[in-house]
Amino acid sequence: MPEASNDMRLLKYYYMCLLHEASKFVIMLFIFSRFHAGTEYLVAALTLCILRHNMGGIHFRQYWSCFGFSLFFLASVIAMAEFCQVNLPVQIITISLCILMTFLTGPVQSGTRPAMDKKQFMRYRNNACVIMAVCMVLFICMKSFTYRDLIYWVIVFQTLQLIVAKIYERRKKNETLQ
């Protein structure tokens, strides 16, 4: 019976995530489209969703604080891609460091999400590293890839977010132990 209870909690968690994320997605699509950055938003959001699903990151308890952070995050990524292009060798080195940091820190999940076991933890961590490695290979093979800078900045900012979330998670755990 405990498995059924856990399955129901997981189902409820996924339903609420879908509802919240869909509404934020539509609102932000409207906002970015008004600033003629709808396509960039879609590429950044898709990349972020794929990475964040596997990496986790900073989590907020309130819908609007999450929305505000997500809006700021995506606007920053789009602005960096527009105004701060980084050459390919630096991108490769940076993404390699992001892969290493992700492998060492692993995913950080929301406190409202049912806990994952060690096998799931390793699978998500490895998926995130593989996804970033695939992006790096695409960058090398397709030097004129239109959204390379945008995807690069999503990877960098998401990795920084993961590191911050991991530090917060460890501090919280240490406070609980004391």
Side-chain angles (χ1 to χ4, degrees):
M1 194 62 164
E3 278 188 46
S5 175
N6 192 40
D7 288 345
M8 286 305 294
R9 282 188 298 155
L10 192 59
L11 188 60
K12 181 180 178 185
Y13 172 79
Y14 285 136
Y15 173 73
M16 291 307 295
C17 284
L18 182 64
L19 184 65
H20 288 162
E21 295 306 315
S23 65
K24 287 188 290 188
F25 176 82
V26 170
I27 294 168
M28 283 193 267
L29 179 59
F30 176 77
I31 292 168
F32 283 104
S33 293
R34 301 304 299 157
F35 290 98
H36 307 287
T39 304
E40 290 82 358
Y41 165 72
L42 291 173
V43 171
L46 176 63
T47 306
L48 180 61
C49 284
I50 293 168
L51 285 173
R52 189 159 167 88
H53 173 73
N54 290 287
M55 295 170 75
I58 297 172
H59 298 281
F60 294 90
R61 294 186 190 277
Q62 302 296 319
Y63 176 88
W64 289 109
S65 53
C66 180
F67 176 83
F69 182 79
S70 297
L71 183 65
F72 174 76
F73 182 96
L74 289 162
S76 298
V77 164
I78 292 169
M80 291 298 285
E82 179 71 26
F83 300 112
C84 188
Q85 287 84 32
V86 177
N87 65 28
L88 184 59
V90 173
Q91 286 183 347
I92 300 307
I93 292 167
T94 307
I95 292 174
S96 297
L97 290 172
C98 289
I99 292 169
L100 177 64
M101 292 307 301
T102 298
F103 186 81
L104 294 174
T105 57
V108 175
Q109 70 180 53
S110 168
T112 60
R113 180 180 182 169
M116 65 178 119
D117 60 28
K118 187 167 179 81
K119 185 177 176 181
Q120 290 171 314
F121 179 89
M122 290 173 31
R123 187 180 79 226
Y124 284 125
R125 179 197 64 198
N126 294 343
N127 285 348
C129 292
V130 167
I131 291 163
M132 288 186 277
V134 167
C135 288
M136 187 170 63
V137 169
L138 287 174
F139 291 178
I140 293 168
C141 294
M142 300 173 58
K143 292 181 178 153
S144 64
F145 183 52
T146 305
Y147 298 108
R148 186 180 82 200
D149 293 322
L150 187 62
I151 293 170
Y152 167 77
W153 285 112
V154 171
I155 291 170
V156 170
F157 279 37
Q158 176 58 27
T159 303
L160 291 173
Q161 183 186 157
L162 176 67
I163 293 166
V164 169
K166 193 62 160 189
I167 291 168
Y168 178 76
E169 181 182 71
R170 286 194 177 151
R171 278 192 181 161
K172 195 173 177 182
K173 190 181 286 185
N174 287 340
E175 288 174 4
T176 305
L177 294 175
Q178 293 176 359

